[in-house]
């Protein structure tokens, strides 16, 4: 059952034609951070995009944030009850119009050329199913950046023991991912489960050695909450075990 069956939408009109790429953001609260994330989408060098914001029953009035941009390429949906990030992403992906979906997080900054660079690569490598790049981490109010160290070129065998793909840099085929979906029972490591589900099916991954996103470190995230961080690691091991039999499958 789709818990997003009764959703509110802003009065803004959305483009009627199919955009070149859809950006999907799942969010709960984080109003001011969401504003910065949306600015980074609006400032993309590529103009042919739509951005779907799925509000997972926030206490903050995120509709005011989104509608305040007066940007017809932004589309706002609100879940009438808290469903979780995986359900929110699945719903946003189902609403996407483009063949390609770029994952974005509500607290991160997308560099201006992210979408243009991604689509340029895909235009010259049409067999690609999933593409990802590098990201740098930062803290609000600080100017220093540090690389997210695990990112590397795609290696299918290694992926079954290490998640080296930064979720917020990924763009994937809409039809392929909608056929699989994020596991809505997972809270943490849901991205890793999706990568392995795609690897099980021998999806074609590609890596661009360019920085796509600035990843914000702050208190309200899995990596800074000991309990949630432990849950994420536990889920990662469960995901590895669930997909292990596909590792050497041809």
């Amino acid at each position: 059952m789709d818990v997003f069956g009764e959703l509110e939408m802003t009065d803004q009109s959305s483009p009627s034609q199919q955009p070149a790429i859809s950006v999907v953001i799942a969010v709960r609260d984080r109003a001011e951070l969401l504003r910065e994330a949306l600015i980074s989408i609006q400032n993309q060098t590529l103009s042919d995009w739509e951005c779907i914001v799925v509000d997972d029953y926030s206490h903050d009035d995120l509709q005011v944030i989104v509608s305040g941009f007066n940007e017809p390429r932004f589309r706002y949906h609100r879940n009438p009850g808290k469903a979780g990030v995986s359900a929110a992403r699945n719903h946003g992906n189902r609403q996407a119009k483009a063949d390609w979906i770029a994952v974005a997080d509500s607290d991160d900054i997308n560099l201006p050329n992210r979408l243009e660079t991604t689509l340029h690569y895909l235009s010259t490598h049409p067999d690609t199913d999933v593409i990802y790049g590098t990201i740098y981490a930062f803290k609000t109010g600080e100017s220093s950046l540090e690389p997210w160290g695990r990112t590397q070129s795609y290696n299918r065998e290694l992926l079954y023991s290490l998640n080296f793909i930064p979720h917020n840099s990924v763009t994937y085929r809409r039809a392929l991912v909608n056929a699989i979906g994020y596991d809505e029972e997972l809270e943490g490591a849901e991205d890793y489960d999706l990568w392995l589900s795609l690897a099980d099916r021998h999806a074609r991954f590609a890596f661009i050695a360019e920085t796509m996103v600035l990843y914000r470190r702050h208190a309200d995230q899995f990596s800074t909450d000991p309990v949630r961080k432990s849950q994420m690691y536990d889920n990662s091991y469960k995901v590895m075990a669930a997909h292990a039999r596909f590792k050497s499958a041809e």
Side-chain angles (χ1 to χ4, degrees), residues 156 160 195-203 242-243 246-247 249:
R156 182 178 181 274
Y160 283 86
W195 309 155
L196 292 182
S197 294
L198 290 164
D200 295 345
R201 295 161 172 79
H202 293 271
H243 292 272
F246 295 100
K247 183 176 181 178

Side-chain angles (χ1 to χ4, degrees), residues 182-218:
Y182 290 90
D183 184 341
E184 298 182 10
E185 298 299 316
L186 288 175
E187 183 76 16
E190 69 279 354
D191 58 328
Y192 189 27
D193 178 69
L194 180 60
W195 309 155
L196 292 182
S197 294
L198 290 164
D200 295 345
R201 295 161 172 79
H202 293 271
R204 296 155 295 191
F205 287 74
F207 169 63
I208 301 180
E210 293 192 29
T211 306
M212 300 285 197
V213 175
L214 301 183
Y215 164 66
R216 187 191 304 268
R217 297 192 187 280
H218 59 91

Side-chain angles (χ1 to χ4, degrees), residues 12-248:
Q12 319 169 68
S13 59
S14 56
S16 58
Q17 72 277 15
Q18 183 184 40
I21 191 167
S22 299
V23 180
V24 173
I25 300 177
V27 58
R28 189 165 192 265
D29 299 324
R30 296 179 175 175
E32 289 306 313
L33 298 184
L34 175 63
R35 189 193 305 274
E36 293 185 36
L38 293 178
I39 289 171
S40 76
I41 299 298
Q42 197 173 44
N43 289 341
Q44 290 293 303
T45 55
L46 177 87
S47 62
D48 189 12
W49 53 263
E50 66 170 354
C51 179
I52 302 163
V53 178
V54 183
D55 177 356
D56 189 30
Y57 199 58
S58 296
H59 297 96
D60 297 345
D61 192 347
L62 300 186
Q63 182 170 352
V64 170
I65 298 295
V66 177
S67 61
F69 280 86
N70 193 29
E71 169 58 76
R73 292 172 294 181
F74 288 154
R75 298 168 57 198
Y76 173 84
H77 295 254
R78 177 175 168 83
N79 177 21
K82 187 175 184 295
V85 65
S86 294
R89 290 195 190 282
N90 285 338
H91 177 75
N93 287 352
R94 288 192 295 269
Q95 301 307 307
K97 295 179 179 179
D99 292 332
W100 294 100
I101 297 175
V103 177
D105 285 340
S106 61
D107 49 354
D108 295 338
I109 305 298
N110 295 270
L111 294 184
N113 65 341
R114 178 191 174 185
L115 300 183
E116 183 176 14
T117 299
T118 296
L119 287 182
H120 175 72
Y121 181 92
L122 293 171
S123 70
T124 55
H125 300 80
D127 291 336
T128 304
D129 295 313
V130 182
I131 185 171
Y132 63 99
T134 62
I135 66 174
Y136 274 75
F138 75 103
K139 291 183 179 180
T140 302
E142 298 183 7
S143 58
S144 61
L145 299 173
E146 59 181 46
W148 191 75
R150 296 196 299 273
T151 311
Q152 66 157 65
S153 298
Y154 183 65
N155 180 312
R156 182 178 181 274
E157 183 176 1
L158 179 61
L159 185 63
Y160 283 86
S161 57
L162 176 68
N163 183 10
F164 51 80
I165 299 175
H167 189 208
N168 54 358
S169 76
V170 165
T171 295
Y172 42 53
R173 287 187 188 274
R174 178 190 62 183
L176 180 60
V177 170
N178 280 347
I180 300 170
Y182 290 90
D183 184 341
E184 298 182 10
E185 298 299 316
L186 288 175
E187 183 76 16
E190 69 279 354
D191 58 328
Y192 189 27
D193 178 69
L194 180 60
W195 309 155
L196 292 182
S197 294
L198 290 164
D200 295 345
R201 295 161 172 79
H202 293 271
R204 296 155 295 191
F205 287 74
F207 169 63
I208 301 180
E210 293 192 29
T211 306
M212 300 285 197
V213 175
L214 301 183
Y215 164 66
R216 187 191 304 268
R217 297 192 187 280
H218 59 91
D220 182 27
Q221 57 188 178
F222 265 88
S223 60
T224 53
D225 183 320
V227 174
R228 296 169 75 194
K229 186 175 183 178
S230 176
Q231 177 186 357
M232 181 174 64
Y233 282 127
D234 288 345
N235 285 348
S236 293
Y237 290 121
K238 291 176 183 177
V239 165
M240 287 180 198
H243 292 272
R245 69 186 186 279
F246 295 100
K247 183 176 181 178
S248 58

